[in-house]
Amino acid sequence: MEELQDVQLTEIKPLLTDGNSARNFQDFDCQEHDIETAHGVLHVTMRGTPKGNRPVILTYHDIGLNHKSCFNTLFNYEDMHEITHYFAVCHVDAPGHQEAAPPFPTGYQYPTMDELAEMLTAVLTHLNIQSVIGIGVGAGAYILTRFALNHQNLVEGLVLINIDPCAKGWMDWAASKLTGWTTNLDDIVLGHHFSSDELENNLELIQTYRLHIAQDINQENLHFFVNSYNSRRDLEIERPIIGVNETTVKTLQCSALLVVGDTSPAVDAVVECNSRLNPTNTTLLKMADCGGLPQVVQPGKLTEAFKYFVQGMGYMPAVTMTRLARARTTSVSSVGSGDIARNQSPAVSQADAIRNRETNQGAARTMEVSC
């Protein structure tokens, strides 16, 4: 297998400037809805209105965050405006995680991860959304994947950041319980999001999210969501093998872009998920010099990747090449014998790699891109 080569890239814009340093996760031109479902109320925020037969971008955040702290750096990024002009966006907040959310009443039963996924059907019905392209991070990626497995006809594509398809093992559960007795919840959540290197060296970023988790998220509600995520079932997805199980295996039918930073705590889990998915419609994107929150630390790279992901699905045919794509190159290899990589020039842009993968749907291996 050819070895990926990490290319040193410089992001155009810094992460924390001006208002962001004060946890200024602001929405613009949005409508908020509280939607009744079979498992409780979901708070959702719509940006724009559904346009014709186009899918709506549906986001779901990770534990310790809400839609603002998880996604607003990405969706307020300048180059993302071309996408939000083309697609409406629906941000979902997990129960009890929207701004100023009150604590749940005594005896409240928080939804399981499976139930959180099923709650999304009521959201789509209420907002008259016909289909979605999902963007999920961590727990949110798991929820959107479960939803796609149960409702293949409603999901056209998925961008899954830091996804873990596995159930939490008994030893992991015991370790988390012991850790919970000796460590506060904020530190546990920060350890879920960030690598040890980020925790030690990216102090401004860590302080921003430490304050957000501790002060902006109701701690009792956060505890419920963390417990629900830690009690998740295995997604039970399996890579189809032509001529063996392609008609019976449980896997995603839609296009999928898996994203992880190369120093993220989730690298192993994302690689495991990649090994279980259909290689003809899956891309694994590893971001160099990036930790646990690619959509926050490298919004330009992720925006570019997403543009070409949706273009490969047949949308935004006249998409504008971003400044990042014009300015950089990257090396590409496939997971397998490297046949796909040999059919390309030695150095291609990240965007071209994703676009080429979308046009090589019959290829036998998942494309892995390092940027």
Side-chain angles (χ1 to χ4, degrees):
M1 183 177 76
E2 296 180 336
E3 186 175 349
L4 287 176
Q5 301 178 20
D6 290 331
V7 179
Q8 298 298 319
L9 303 173
T10 302
E11 183 60 89
I12 287 176
K13 294 185 177 181
L15 167 65
L16 297 171
T17 57
D18 302 328
N20 279 349
S21 60
R23 308 202 312 280
N24 182 22
F25 307 113
Q26 293 301 311
D27 280 327
F28 299 99
D29 300 324
C30 295
Q31 293 184 334
E32 299 185 36
H33 305 264
D34 290 311
I35 299 175
E36 291 282 352
T37 79
H39 304 289
V41 177
L42 269 183
H43 183 86
V44 303
T45 303
M46 281 291 298
R47 298 176 65 155
T49 57
K51 299 171 176 64
N53 294 324
R54 298 173 191 170
V56 170
I57 296 173
L58 180 71
T59 76
Y60 214 120
H61 60 85
D62 202 354
I63 59 173
L65 308 175
N66 55 33
H67 84 268
K68 293 185 176 183
S69 55
C70 192
F71 291 111
N72 274 15
T73 299
L74 175 65
F75 281 91
N76 291 338
Y77 189 78
E78 179 183 355
D79 291 334
M80 194 70 172
H81 295 169
E82 186 174 10
I83 295 173
T84 55
H85 179 75
Y86 192 89
F87 296 105
V89 181
C90 178
H91 295 296
V92 178
D93 286 313
H97 281 64
Q98 68 272 23
E99 279 192 338
F104 292 113
T106 303
Y108 175 80
Q109 184 68 41
Y110 200 84
T112 65
M113 295 297 283
D114 289 4
E115 290 169 342
L116 288 170
E118 279 306 304
M119 293 168 78
L120 296 177
T121 58
V123 172
L124 270 59
T125 300
H126 181 87
L127 298 175
N128 196 29
I129 296 173
Q130 304 303 311
S131 64
V132 300
I133 298 172
I135 305 179
V137 181
Y142 178 99
I143 291 167
L144 291 179
T145 303
R146 177 67 70 187
F147 177 71
L149 291 170
N150 294 339
H151 303 280
Q152 304 274 13
N153 60 314
L154 297 178
V155 182
E156 297 191 27
L158 288 174
V159 177
L160 304 172
I161 304 170
N162 299 340
I163 184 170
D164 188 343
C166 304
K168 200 175 183 70
W170 184 87
M171 291 298 294
D172 293 329
W173 177 86
S176 68
K177 285 293 184 182
L178 290 172
T179 302
W181 292 333
T182 59
T183 309
N184 65 50
L185 186 58
D186 301 346
D187 288 332
I188 293 172
V189 173
L190 286 171
H192 165 79
H193 288 305
F194 301 107
S195 65
S196 57
D197 181 67
E198 286 180 294
L199 291 171
E200 294 175 4
N201 298 317
N202 201 337
L203 299 182
E204 186 177 7
L205 174 68
I206 300 306
Q207 182 65 4
T208 295
Y209 278 88
R210 180 182 294 279
L211 290 174
H212 169 67
I213 293 166
Q215 299 179 10
D216 300 338
I217 303 294
N218 183 288
Q219 295 297 288
E220 293 182 15
N221 299 355
L222 172 58
H223 191 268
F224 278 125
F225 192 20
V226 170
N227 282 346
S228 181
Y229 181 58
N230 286 342
S231 302
R232 65 190 180 277
R233 297 189 298 127
D234 193 287
L235 285 173
E236 299 176 336
I237 51 178
E238 185 179 348
R239 172 164 288 192
I241 302 174
I242 303 301
V244 178
N245 62 359
E246 71 270 22
T247 60
T248 59
V249 73
K250 180 180 180 182
T251 192
L252 290 173
Q253 301 300 318
C254 64
S255 297
L257 174 62
L258 276 56
V259 181
V260 67
D262 63 354
T263 64
S264 168
V267 168
D268 290 343
V270 174
V271 171
E272 170 65 19
C273 186
N274 177 62
S275 72
R276 297 187 185 191
L277 291 176
N278 188 336
T280 65
N281 60 7
T282 304
T283 299
L284 171 59
L285 174 62
K286 284 185 178 180
M287 290 191 174
D289 302 320
C290 184
L293 293 180
Q295 77 282 8
V296 173
V297 177
Q298 301 281 14
K301 293 182 187 178
L302 187 55
T303 297
E304 180 191 342
F306 186 65
K307 280 186 179 183
Y308 287 94
F309 177 68
V310 298
Q311 188 180 45
M313 295 169 58
Y315 298 106
M316 302 184 68
V319 65
T320 302
M321 180 72 75
T322 66
R323 290 169 293 176
L324 281 172
R326 291 195 300 266
R328 72 169 183 260
T329 59
T330 184
S331 296
V332 180
S333 74
S334 61
V335 178
S337 64
D339 292 341
I340 299 176
R342 283 196 293 270
N343 290 332
Q344 297 173 344
S345 61
V348 296
S349 74
Q350 168 201 332
D352 287 341
I354 293 170
R355 181 166 52 186
N356 290 344
R357 195 278 302 164
E358 295 292 348
T359 60
N360 281 280
Q361 292 296 303
R365 291 156 297 279
T366 301
M367 179 68 76
E368 185 171 338
V369 182
S370 178
C371 73

